[in-house]
Amino acid sequence: MTQLKLDTPSLLSDEQMRKFITDGYLILQTDFPEEFHENLNTQLKKVYEEEGNPGNNILPRIQEVQKVFDNPVITGALTSVLGPNYMLHAHRHGHYNASPVAGGWHKDSYWGYERMRNHHPWWAMIMYFPQDTPVELGPTGIMPGTQNYETRIFETDDPKEEALASGKAGTFALIHYDIWHRATPNKLGQPRFMLKFEFMRTQLPESPSWNNSEKAWVKPSSAKALPGEHNVMWEDTWNWLHGKIGSMADTQPKDVMQVEELVKSIEHHYEPVALNAAYELACSGKAGVQGLLQALHHENTNVSRLAAYGLSIAGPEAIPGLISALENSRVETVVHAAFALGEQGYLAGEAVPYLIDCLKNHSSVYVRRTIVEALSMNGSHSEIIANELSKCLQDSDNQVRFMACLSLARLSSYADTAVPELELALNDENRYVRAHAAEALRYIGTERAKDSLIKFLLNSRWCPTTTPANTFYP
């Protein structure tokens, strides 16, 4: 197979992007020669046997892994979903599975960061298999279409709809970060490695970043049978990836009785039904928005959360009500309102002063964590936002500090005034604050930012051949 140039990402097609939106994953294949994976597996086995799992240091410890994430099939897939300036997150992990027992179904956490999960693709994950991985070797199992469900709606542990990341060496799963997945049983008992890396979008999409030729949303012909049909949500995501925020607002006006029925449906016990009701209300004009704002204040926090997803795509009509909700006495309502304002992006520019005031004065760390991220997604008032985020680098909460670093990275050169505080954060006690501060300096990119980053990287440089068995000598 002809090798592609590293600087030529192999972008996804319209059909692949549509499948990713509906199913939440793609199974793809890199084009490395067989000897590359033989060498990589030899090194993985040696490191795991002699040193244990290197955790976040797997990339510098086994430098061939970087070639994986420079491969044009992978860079093209990530660029297509997350945009051209996506970030490789500081958390990375090499999974080893030799167990005949299946792992439990789960969604990955954000490493202690309690946050609402994004339906729009702000985060994604790559699961890379460096050896031939037949079904019997225990590949990762993925439940299609579950990326936007908080609950595990399927009842059995071995559902027929499960998709397996099975294939030749170099197979990888590109997944929406929030999809339900698990490790399947390794019936062969042979070593099975999977390299898991996560990635973050650093800017709102302005135009399609994949190989796009069709503008209108059409459900993919290759889509699996999914737990629910979510046509409004899917179309909104497609439009959002085209740079169109709030495009579904007021596209399907409904009368009072229809709105009342949808408001009741947000309380439905089956999450796909409730989720559809929230998204349909977002398209239903002023009455629909008022119904969502009513549900935002519902005593059931799950109903309030679902309403926030609807309000996040409801356009300008929802902004005043969301701003008002920032003054609510219930923490969850404030969190949900701040989340929706963040997802509204530049449409919520008028909310920035209110978000900043709430950030300064609210006692809840959950509120501060949410607002720190929401501000970085606004796309306006960048210098004012950068000044407030830099103050958050001194917050007592680890998660506020490391999300502030990630948010400053999204502001790029507008965050130049935050460089002195980021320099201090390079010595933070928390590993992710330090790592994200370094990333923020990289994305800010001014001379002082680059000088500080280079000094930090030189002082913390890693020698991949220094091990307990080989301490000093070549």
Side-chain angles (χ1 to χ4, degrees), residues 436-447:
H436 298 160
E439 289 288 359
L441 290 169
R442 177 168 76 99
Y443 280 89
I444 291 170
T446 58
E447 284 302 312

Side-chain angles (χ1 to χ4, degrees), residues 393 398 401-402 405 425-426 428 430-438:
L393 297 176
N398 289 339
R401 298 199 306 279
F402 76 60
C405 292
L426 292 172
D428 195 277
N430 182 276
R431 72 184 73 188
Y432 293 112
V433 176
R434 297 193 300 271
H436 298 160

